[in-house]
Amino acid sequence: MDVANKSAVSEFALLGLSNSWKLQMFFFMVFSLFYVATVVGNSLIVITVIADSHLHSPMYFLLTNLSIIDMSLASFATPKMITDYLTGHKTISFDGCITQIFFLHLFTGTEIILLMAMSFDRYTAICKPLHYASIVSPQVCVALVVASWVVGVMHSMSQVIFALTLPFCGPNEVDSFFCDLPVVFQLACVDTYVLGLFMISTSGVIALSCFILLFNSYVIVLVTIKNHSSKGSSKVLSTCTAHFIVVFMFFGPCIFIYMWPLSSFLVDKILSVFYTIFTPILNPVIYTLRNQEVKTAMRKLKNKLLNSNKTTSSYYF
C-alpha cells in the first residue's frame, strides 16, 4: 500500500498563535517587522563580508553562511504565516506540510553543524594560534560548510521519510503556525509514545549532545583566554561571548521542543516563534553591535555607496 493510500488527510488546518483578531493584527505587524529586519540585516552582513577584503577570513566566511541559513530559516514559514493573517486562509496541503518539515530540519540541522564549525574555528584561533592558518585553511572552511549542508539534508530526509510513513486518518488541526514533527505526529493514528521516543532519539539527543560539545569548547576557550591575558583578550572574549549567545539562544528552544515532544502546546508555540523568528535576527544584531570590524566595514561600505551616488549625480548634472 503506498503512502497516499495510507493517509486520508489531504490538508492540515494551522491554528496559529491565537484566535483573537486584535492579537493576530499585532502579530502581523511585529512578525512582518522582524522578518524584514532579519532579511535586511543578514543581507547586509553577507554583502559587507563579500565587499570588504579585510573580512575575507575563515570566521567571517562561516558567519556569511550562518546569515544565509538564518534568512532561510526565517523564510520557510514566516511569510506564509504573515499572509495567512491577512487572508484568513490558514490551511496547508499535505505536501506543503511535508515540505515545511523538510526545510525546517534542513536549515536547523545545517545551522547546528555550522555553529560547531564556528566553535572549532574560534577554538583553533585561540588555543592553537601558531597552527591556525594551516588547520583552518580555505579548503577546510569550504569542506565544513559543505559537510554542514550534507548533514542537514540527511537529517531532514530522515524526518520526512518518517513523516511519510505515518497514517493520518482524520484529525488535521495543527496547533501551531507551521508544520513540525512534534505537533504533526500527534495527529497520526498510532501510539504517540513510540513516536515521541523516535523524536527524542533523532533530534533531541543530537541537539543536546551538540550543545554539550559546544559548551565544553567555549569553556576551554574562556579558560585559555583567562590564562593568557593580553591586550586582545577583551576583543576575543567579546567575540566568543557573541558566539555563545547565538548558540544558547538557538539550541535552548530546540532542545526543549525535541527532548519533550509531548509538552505543552503553548510552551512549544512560544519556543517555535523564538527560534524561527527571533533567533535569526540575533545574528546581525549581535555580530554588528559587538563586532568593531563589521561595524567599521559597514561604515566604509556606506561611505563608498554615498560617494558613488554623488559622483553619478555630478556626472548627470
Side-chain angles (χ1 to χ4, degrees), residues 1-307:
M1 183 183 294
D2 58 30
V3 173
N5 291 332
K6 281 186 179 181
S7 177
V9 175
S10 60
E11 67 177 19
F12 293 97
L14 300 173
L15 299 184
L17 299 175
S18 173
N19 292 324
S20 167
W21 184 83
K22 289 183 179 179
L23 277 177
Q24 288 182 22
M25 288 301 99
F26 172 76
F27 291 145
F28 167 76
M29 291 186 290
V30 171
F31 295 155
S32 296
L33 288 173
F34 268 86
Y35 179 67
V36 171
T38 297
V39 173
V40 172
N42 282 291
S43 296
L44 275 175
I45 288 180
V46 173
I47 294 169
T48 302
V49 172
I50 292 174
D52 195 317
S53 59
H54 294 96
L55 300 181
H56 291 179
S57 64
M59 184 177 81
Y60 292 111
F61 174 73
L62 296 173
L63 174 60
T64 300
N65 283 275
L66 180 63
S67 292
I68 293 171
I69 294 173
D70 278 338
M71 282 190 286
S72 303
L73 183 60
S75 300
F76 87 97
T78 306
K80 174 173 170 50
M81 177 185 63
I82 293 171
T83 305
D84 288 349
Y85 282 137
L86 287 179
T87 62
H89 181 73
K90 297 182 179 180
T91 60
I92 186 170
S93 67
F94 182 85
D95 291 340
C97 186
I98 296 298
T99 301
Q100 281 194 343
I101 291 173
F102 173 81
F103 281 114
L104 171 63
H105 287 271
L106 169 63
F107 299 138
T108 52
T110 302
E111 182 155 342
I112 284 174
I113 303 303
L114 191 61
L115 288 172
M116 294 185 72
M118 294 177 73
S119 170
F120 170 72
D121 170 70
R122 291 300 85 203
Y123 170 82
T124 307
I126 294 166
C127 299
K128 299 183 179 181
L130 298 179
H131 303 285
Y132 177 75
S134 59
I135 296 175
V136 190
S137 63
Q139 294 81 3
V140 170
C141 286
V142 171
L144 289 172
V145 171
V146 171
S148 68
W149 282 101
V150 170
V151 172
V153 170
M154 292 173 62
H155 172 67
S156 61
M157 286 302 298
S158 70
Q159 304 302 297
V160 166
I161 291 170
F162 171 66
L164 287 173
T165 60
L166 297 176
F168 297 98
C169 53
N172 70 334
E173 292 186 339
V174 176
D175 197 7
S176 183
F177 62 94
F178 66 89
C179 289
D180 191 13
L181 278 180
V183 288
V184 171
F185 85 78
Q186 297 188 48
L187 303 177
C189 305
V190 289
D191 182 10
T192 56
Y193 177 76
V194 176
L195 300 181
L197 291 179
F198 173 84
M199 190 75 53
I200 293 171
S201 63
T202 59
S203 295
V205 172
I206 292 173
L208 181 61
S209 302
C210 292
F211 177 75
I212 291 172
L213 285 173
L214 285 168
F215 180 79
N216 288 336
S217 70
Y218 281 113
V219 168
I220 294 171
V221 166
L222 292 174
V223 169
T224 303
I225 294 172
K226 183 180 178 182
N227 293 337
H228 299 82
S229 121
S230 63
K231 277 174 74 177
S233 293
S234 60
K235 177 185 173 183
V236 174
L237 182 62
S238 176
T239 302
C240 289
T241 303
H243 283 212
F244 187 73
I245 290 172
V246 172
V247 167
F248 181 79
M249 302 300 262
F250 177 77
F251 274 90
C254 289
I255 291 171
F256 185 90
I257 289 173
Y258 294 105
M259 285 298 289
W260 292 275
L262 298 175
S263 59
S264 165
F265 278 124
L266 178 60
V267 175
D268 284 353
K269 283 183 181 182
I270 295 171
L271 294 177
S272 295
V273 168
F274 203 84
Y275 82 87
T276 58
I277 296 176
F278 293 158
T279 301
I281 202 175
L282 288 176
N283 185 16
V285 169
I286 289 173
Y287 284 103
T288 53
L289 294 181
R290 297 181 63 89
N291 192 305
Q292 190 59 44
E293 287 180 325
V294 175
K295 287 192 288 187
T296 302
M298 283 185 172
R299 280 195 293 268
K300 286 168 59 179
L301 181 61
K302 183 186 75 172
N303 294 334
K304 186 177 179 181
L305 291 173
L306 290 175
N307 292 332

